Every structure is written in structure tokens, then in C-alpha cells.
Amino acid sequence: MSKSPDHRWHDMGGDAAGPVPDDQHDFALWEKRVDALMILGSARGHFTVDGLRRCLEDMGEKAFEEMTYYERWVASVNQNFIEAGVYTLEELGAKMAEVKARGDTYGAAQDA
């Protein structure tokens, strides 16, 4: 199959990819939270599926290959929240520093 000159790295349609794994796994709590953020952010009109897809496609091939599925989605949700004015990069940085100061585990965070 011949690819269009406009073919981008993330467009794998028609490429040989091998079998699709059909094994099931339990989702980590943070992955479930990413799903919740996607549902809530979309329901509140902060972004659309197209906005999420645009951010995913703009990440670049290296990020797409090195990040997990949910790491890519949380990055896309975050970018859309920033673009929608839900919070600023400065506010996000401050909140991340606050959370990091609580400790590396839930147990350590309880003592903070």
C-alpha cells in the first residue's frame, strides 16, 4: 500500500502491526482517574475529542513510542485544560510542588 506524502508517523492504517493483544489487565488507580478527567472535562465543555486528538498527534513520534497510553492521554487532557483556561502552567507547577512535598507514598502523604 502506497502512503500519501501527507502521511504522519501516528497514522498506522494499513501498516502490518502483528496480532492485537486480547489479554485483560486491571487498570491502575491513576489510569481510572485519567478516564474520569476525560469524561468530566469533555462534559464541562473544556475540550472535544478533536482537541484531545490534536494534542496526541502533536506530541511527536518519540513521545508516542516512549509514553504509555494513559501517559499520552493525561498529557493531552492537561494541554487542553491549559488551553481552555481551567488553570495556568504556573498554577499547575505550584500544585505539583505542593503534592510532591507531601511525600512519595500515600503513607508519607498522610503524615504531611
Side-chain angles (χ1 to χ4, degrees), residues 27-104:
F27 294 96
L29 180 57
W30 76 271
E31 293 170 326
K32 293 175 183 180
R33 289 177 175 166
V34 172
D35 279 332
L37 282 171
M38 289 171 52
I39 292 166
L40 293 171
S42 177
R44 293 191 178 182
H46 296 306
F47 50 76
T48 64
V49 171
D50 293 332
L52 290 170
R53 171 64 64 195
R54 176 188 49 80
C55 288
L56 287 168
E57 292 174 358
D58 288 347
M59 285 180 190
E61 187 172 3
K62 185 175 190 287
F64 195 84
E65 290 182 1
E66 292 180 2
M67 296 170 77
T68 68
Y69 177 85
Y70 280 100
E71 287 171 338
R72 291 190 306 266
W73 277 105
V74 76
S76 179
V77 168
N78 181 60
Q79 182 63 34
N80 276 270
F81 279 156
I82 290 168
E83 291 175 6
V86 175
Y87 50 77
T88 66
L89 275 175
E90 292 76 18
E91 290 169 327
L92 177 61
K95 181 54 82 171
M96 289 174 71
E98 176 188 322
V99 170
K100 183 167 181 53
R102 293 180 196 161
D104 293 332

Side-chain angles (χ1 to χ4, degrees), residues 4-42:
S4 159
D6 296 329
H7 174 80
R8 292 182 65 192
W9 57 266
H10 58 77
D11 183 5
M12 295 179 257
D15 291 350
V20 175
D22 62 359
D23 57 324
Q24 299 295 318
H25 70 278
D26 192 19
F27 294 96
L29 180 57
W30 76 271
E31 293 170 326
K32 293 175 183 180
R33 289 177 175 166
V34 172
D35 279 332
L37 282 171
M38 289 171 52
I39 292 166
L40 293 171
S42 177

